[in-house]
Amino acid sequence: RSDATTDYYEITARAATARILPGQDTEVWGYQGTFPGPTIESRSGRRTVVTHRNALPHATAVHLHGGHTPHDSDGYPLDLISPQGGGDAMAGMGGMSKMAGMPGMSGATFQPQRDYTYPMNQRAATLWYHDHTMGFTGPQVYRGLAGFHLVRDDEEAALGLPHGPRELPLMIADRAFAADGSFAYPALDGNEGKPGVTDAYMNGVLGDVILVNGAPWPVARVDRARYRLRMLNGSNARRYRLALDPQPPGGGGLLQIGSDGGLLERPTAHDTLELAPAERFDVVVDFARYPAGTSVRLVNQLGSGSTSEVMRFDIGSGGGADDSRVPAKLSSIERLDPAKAAATRTFVFQKSQNNWTINGDEYRPGRSLASPKLGQVEIWRFITDFHHPVHMHLDPFQVVSRNGDAPGAYDAGWKDTVDVLPAQGVEVAVRFTDYAGRFLLHCHNLEHEDMAMMAEFTTE
Ligand code: C2O
Ligand code: CU
C-alpha cells in the first residue's frame, strides 16, 4: 500500500515449516513465515512504514540494519513486540539474561504490534532487517528472522547497472541441523531455550551447511551477461573469503560496486572478498567472460569440506543482448576529514570475566558510553582481542586506518560494519546526523552481542 508520501508494509513473524534439506522439515521463525523474509524496497527520500506483528512464542524487536532511523523506530532491544497471546510473557528469556550477566528485562516495553517508521533519508544501498531482541538476537536470527531491505535512488538507476532478473540479493548464512531436520543451535539443545555457556556458544555459533537465501548450496542458471550480486553475510558468526572457481581469464572476477552504505566512487576488481557477519558487498560478475556451459562455483576459502562451497552458477548459451553497464565513475563520496574530528573515542572489545564486553563493561540498557553532538565528526577507534565485526547504528562511517596503516582492501566506501580481526585497531570517522537519542554500538557476532558486547551512545 502507498500514498502520496509513504509506502506501507505489514509483516508478521511466525513459525512455519520449510523444506531446506532434501526430505526433511525444518521449523523456521520467519517474517511472513519465510526465511529470508520478504524483500522490502524503498525509494530514497520517501518514507516507509513497516507494521510488524508477532505470532511467535517469544518477544521480538526489529532493527533495520544500515537504516538512518530515529531511536523510536530503531528496534531498541527493550522496545518489544509481545509474543503470541499478548502480555509481556518472556518465555525462555529470563535465563538468557541472567547468563549474560544482564540486569534482566527491566525497562522493557511491550506492544502488540509496532509501526517502524523509516524516513529513508539515505542513498541507495543494500540494507537488511533482523531481530534485535535483548539477549536473544542470536537464536532468533538463527531460526530465520532476517530479510533484505533495498533502497533505490535516481543516481543509481541512471547508471545502467544489471537489473531485474540479473540483480540477485544473496543472503549467505550457515546453519547446523539436528537429525530430525530442526536447526541445531548448540546453546538451545536440551536446555528449554536457555543457552548454556559452551565454547560453541561463547565464540559464536557456526553451522556446517551454507545457505544462500535459505537454500543449501543452490545452483543459479545464468546467461552469458553481467549480474549484480548483492551479497550479505547473514551468518551469526562465520566469516567468508569468497572467490569464483574458476576465475575468469585475467582474474578480477568480483567487481565491487558498493559496500554497506551504497555505491563506491568507482568499481574495484577483486579476486576474493572477505565478508564478516552483517557486511554487504555489491558486486558485478560478468559471466560473458566464461564460455557457455561453464559451471562457476562461488567458494569460501576460509571453509573446509562442506563450508568451502557456497553456491554455483551454470552459464547457459542464450540470454540475448546485455545492455547493462558498469561506468568507471559510479558516485562521489564526501571524505570525512579526521583532522576536523571533534573527539576521538576508544572502544575496547574484549573478553573479561567470561563475558564479552566493551571497555570492560557488559551492556546495560540506559547507560551511555558517549554523547556525540549532532553535526559533528568524531573518530571512533575499535580495539579487539578476538575477531569482532563492529557495527554502529544511526550513521555510516568511513574507515580511516587499520592497525595504523591505510584502510584494507574491503574497507572502501560508506560502511556500517567493520571487520576487526584479532588484536587489531581500526579507526573510523563518523558524522552524527539528524536524530537525537539512544543508539547502539555492538559486535555483530550475534552470540557476542547477546552476551553483552553492546553499548549505547546518545546523540544530542
Ligand atoms: Cu544488524 Cu544492531 O544490528
Ligand atoms: Cu565479537
Side-chain angles (χ1 to χ4, degrees):
R1 188 166 69 87
S2 293
D3 61 24
T5 59
T6 308
D7 298 319
Y8 299 90
Y9 286 82
E10 295 187 34
I11 290 181
T12 300
R14 53 185 160 80
T17 300
R19 181 57 56 94
I20 297 176
L21 300 178
Q24 291 203 295
D25 287 338
T26 304
E27 183 182 281
V28 300
W29 287 10
Y31 296 113
Q32 295 294 83
T34 66
F35 168 48
T39 296
I40 296 174
E41 293 206 17
S42 292
R43 296 291 306 176
S44 177
R46 214 181 124 74
R47 184 164 58 221
T48 296
V49 175
V50 186
T51 302
H52 275 276
R53 299 187 179 84
N54 181 10
L56 294 167
H58 288 207
T60 58
V62 187
H63 172 59
L64 175 58
H65 182 122
H68 183 54
T69 306
H71 164 84
D72 57 0
S73 285
D74 198 42
Y76 186 70
L78 292 177
D79 291 346
L80 297 164
I81 310 172
S82 303
Q84 189 172 40
D88 61 358
M90 295 297 293
M93 296 183 128
M96 170 75 75
S97 302
K98 211 185 291 155
M99 180 277 304
M102 292 178 187
M105 304 296 289
S106 62
T109 63
F110 293 86
Q111 293 179 5
Q113 65 182 60
R114 278 184 192 266
D115 287 347
Y116 292 88
T117 299
Y118 304 121
M120 288 298 162
N121 287 319
Q122 57 188 108
R123 64 206 287 260
T126 306
L127 314 184
W128 62 304
Y129 61 105
H130 62 74
D131 187 71
H132 216 300
T133 303
M134 177 78 171
F136 219 67
T137 296
Q140 300 213 130
V141 171
Y142 201 85
R143 285 169 161 158
L145 289 175
F148 279 103
H149 188 145
L150 308 180
V151 186
R152 300 188 185 277
D153 66 14
D154 294 340
E155 180 196 31
E156 189 185 81
L159 295 178
L161 298 168
H163 64 279
R166 292 180 182 165
E167 178 192 335
L168 306 175
L170 303 176
M171 181 187 291
I172 302 170
D174 61 331
R175 294 291 185 271
F177 293 83
D180 65 357
S182 62
F183 286 132
Y185 190 80
L188 295 176
D189 287 347
N191 211 0
E192 294 167 341
K194 293 175 195 157
V197 186
T198 59
D199 280 354
Y201 184 77
M202 193 76 190
N203 290 336
V205 172
L206 302 175
D208 56 358
V209 177
I210 308 297
L211 305 179
V212 180
N213 298 339
W217 304 292
V219 178
R221 280 170 227 299
V222 295
D223 303 323
R224 291 188 70 241
R226 287 182 206 89
Y227 281 70
R228 177 179 186 179
L229 309 179
R230 296 179 183 253
M231 297 177 177
L232 157 67
N233 182 353
S235 307
N236 280 32
R238 181 178 292 281
R239 296 178 73 246
Y240 300 83
R241 186 194 298 136
L242 301 178
L244 298 172
D245 180 20
Q247 302 252 9
L254 298 165
L255 186 64
Q256 186 188 359
I257 57 169
S259 59
D260 302 341
L263 292 171
L264 303 182
E265 284 192 315
R266 35 189 64 77
T268 307
H270 300 271
D271 289 337
T272 59
L273 283 176
E274 293 185 22
L275 282 77
E279 284 191 300
R280 285 89 72 210
F281 285 84
D282 202 339
V283 170
V284 172
V285 173
D286 186 359
F287 292 107
R289 297 177 68 190
Y290 296 93
T294 310
S295 283
V296 180
R297 298 183 308 146
L298 183 66
V299 299
N300 170 28
Q301 296 178 346
L302 299 181
S304 59
S306 65
T307 59
S308 64
E309 300 275 339
V310 177
M311 67 177 293
R312 203 175 83 212
F313 299 94
D314 284 354
I315 305 175
S317 50
D322 182 359
D323 59 358
S324 71
R325 288 177 300 133
V326 181
K329 171 130 204 274
L330 298 167
S331 186
S332 28
I333 291 182
E334 177 205 354
R335 288 282 167 253
L336 299 182
D337 184 357
K340 298 211 180 92
T344 298
R345 304 179 200 266
T346 300
F347 300 90
V348 181
F349 289 70
Q350 65 187 1
K351 192 186 279 181
S352 66
Q353 282 145 32
N354 221 30
N355 213 348
W356 295 104
T357 62
I358 300 177
N359 290 350
D361 285 327
E362 296 167 0
Y363 176 55
R364 192 192 310 151
R367 176 179 58 196
S368 183
L369 259 56
S371 302
K373 300 257 178 308
L374 291 173
Q376 292 191 336
V377 174
E378 298 197 357
I379 302 294
W380 283 24
R381 181 186 293 139
F382 307 129
I383 296 173
T384 56
D385 54 354
F386 189 81
H387 162 243
H388 300 294
V390 175
H391 171 51
M392 289 179 72
H393 289 208
L394 183 61
D395 282 296
F397 51 73
Q398 294 172 359
V399 177
V400 170
S401 72
R402 189 175 271 280
N403 277 341
D405 290 331
Y410 312 116
D411 291 332
W414 289 106
K415 300 281 295 166
D416 57 52
T417 308
V418 62
D419 185 18
V420 192
L421 294 164
Q424 281 202 339
V426 169
E427 286 184 325
V428 305
V430 54
R431 183 195 287 126
F432 298 89
T433 58
D434 294 329
Y435 307 118
R438 285 188 281 165
F439 295 94
L440 295 171
L441 163 73
H442 62 88
C443 179
H444 220 287
N445 176 317
L446 296 182
E447 285 69 42
H448 293 184
E449 176 184 333
D450 282 342
M451 294 191 71
M453 190 169 255
M454 184 151 72
E456 291 179 15
F457 60 93
T458 309
T459 52
E460 51 187 41

